[in-house]
Amino acid sequence: MEKLYRQPLKSKAEMEAEQQDKVGGEGPIWKTQRTKKGAAYQKARQEEEWSRAACKRCFDWGWVYISVDVTSPDFGKVVPCPRCRDWTAEYRARLLAHLPLGGCTFENFEPVLGTVEAHNIALALAEGRADCVWVLIYGGRGSGKTHLLKAAQRRSAERGAPAEYWDVRDLFDEMRRKVKEGALEDFMAHLAEVPLLVLDELGAEKATDFTSDRLEHLLNKRYEGPSVLLAATNLDWGELPSAIRSRFDDAAWARKIHVSAPDYRPLKGAH
């Protein structure tokens, strides 16, 4: 039987003791004003959320990681939590409800020479049977990358695994809105936890300290999971920031796929 795991829940006493050791203070550090936005405060909030969860295995996330060695083909894969709910057709329908009707699917994608490998790995990742955790598809405009990413989001939802698609330019706009609302940390935590995160147009954003810092933070959190990530870019491999290349250069659990097809949108209508 497969072994399932989730990050163990620490008691408040354990967390308090750890923080006292770090700062040499007295009393729960999350109760002090000076650390309200610090790591201890976030841990306390997380503990409070977990204490309210109905399922103590997945803490109402609905999914758990398979605990296997990093060399296993199942490393990084998630499966439905066996204790909290059944993944029914009704639940899958709710996941699909917000997706556009007649949108991009693997069935209406028409592969041409240079796109077959990208098609196959995106499909395998969306179905939870890929031999990797992260995939980056890169190549010229109009070669079907966006179609494949949106199709992967839909296929993941069809099997009951929540997935989010973001054009990174829209993602950073949303992050800036969350900053104004004081809700950025919760939003980043959500992005770190979603079973499948799909990032399009990687590298198309205007590079600033904010975008670089937030993207690196997000990738680090997904890397620590590790959590499944599918991304695409129009840039050549060497044009991507080194922080991104270093993550996808790890052949043990990441794949980078070059799409060599020319722009065939006028012929195929697939992008």
Side-chain angles (χ1 to χ4, degrees):
M1 179 180 294
E2 62 193 13
K3 180 182 178 184
L4 307 175
Y5 76 100
R6 186 74 172 145
Q7 183 177 349
L9 180 65
K10 292 182 179 180
S11 69
K12 184 176 292 187
E14 291 174 324
M15 293 169 58
E16 180 179 347
E18 288 180 359
Q19 294 304 322
Q20 287 178 3
D21 289 342
K22 290 181 180 179
V23 301
E26 296 182 357
I29 194 170
W30 54 81
K31 292 183 179 179
T32 63
Q33 182 65 29
R34 63 190 174 87
T35 59
K36 186 175 180 181
K37 296 300 183 181
Y41 173 73
Q42 293 303 316
K43 287 182 180 179
R45 288 187 57 195
Q46 186 177 56
E47 184 194 38
E48 181 180 353
E49 291 173 0
W50 286 354
S51 67
R52 295 196 300 263
C55 178
K56 300 306 181 184
R57 170 166 284 187
C58 72
F59 301 104
D60 292 344
W61 185 43
W63 292 83
V64 288
Y65 288 99
I66 303 175
S67 181
V68 293
D69 187 78
V70 67
T71 59
S72 169
D74 290 329
F75 178 70
K77 292 183 179 179
V78 293
V79 295
C81 176
R83 288 186 179 176
C84 66
R85 73 180 85 175
D86 293 324
W87 295 100
T88 63
E90 179 182 356
Y91 178 76
R92 291 194 293 272
R94 291 201 299 271
L95 291 178
L96 291 166
H98 70 285
L99 299 180
L101 294 175
C104 300
T105 69
F106 287 109
E107 288 73 24
N108 62 24
F109 181 79
E110 301 180 36
V112 298
L113 185 64
T115 66
V116 175
E117 184 180 10
H119 169 275
N120 292 343
I121 192 66
L123 177 59
L125 197 70
E127 294 182 343
R129 54 180 178 81
D131 61 351
C132 56
V133 184
W134 282 20
V135 171
L136 174 67
I137 302 173
Y138 67 101
R141 296 182 181 276
S143 55
K145 300 185 302 297
T146 295
H147 187 123
L148 289 175
L149 266 59
K150 291 184 176 180
Q153 178 196 21
R154 181 175 294 273
R155 179 57 57 88
S156 182
E158 287 173 348
R159 71 184 187 91
E164 286 200 20
Y165 168 91
W166 284 94
D167 181 308
V168 293
R169 295 165 295 190
D170 296 332
L171 178 61
F172 288 124
D173 286 343
E174 182 66 15
M175 287 182 182
R176 293 184 182 98
R177 282 192 288 271
K178 295 298 184 183
V179 169
K180 294 179 181 179
E181 298 169 3
L184 180 61
E185 292 179 354
D186 288 341
F187 182 59
M188 295 297 294
H190 166 73
L191 293 174
E193 289 289 332
V194 65
L196 171 61
L197 181 62
V198 182
L199 298 180
D200 202 0
E201 300 290 351
L202 202 62
E205 73 281 358
K206 183 179 179 180
T208 66
D209 290 343
F210 176 80
T211 59
S212 299
D213 177 72
R214 291 297 88 194
L215 180 59
E216 185 172 355
H217 176 79
L218 177 58
L219 294 181
N220 285 341
K221 289 298 183 181
R222 303 288 299 183
Y223 184 89
E224 292 168 3
S227 302
V228 183
L229 174 68
L230 175 61
T233 180
N234 295 321
L235 300 178
D236 289 333
W237 176 248
E239 296 178 306
L240 289 168
S242 59
I244 296 177
R245 295 200 311 269
S246 65
R247 297 304 193 194
F248 286 97
D249 262 336
D250 190 342
W253 60 285
R255 299 286 182 275
K256 49 183 185 291
I257 308 297
H258 180 237
V259 174
S260 58
D263 186 341
Y264 67 103
R265 285 173 293 182
L267 298 176
K268 300 294 183 181
H271 180 64

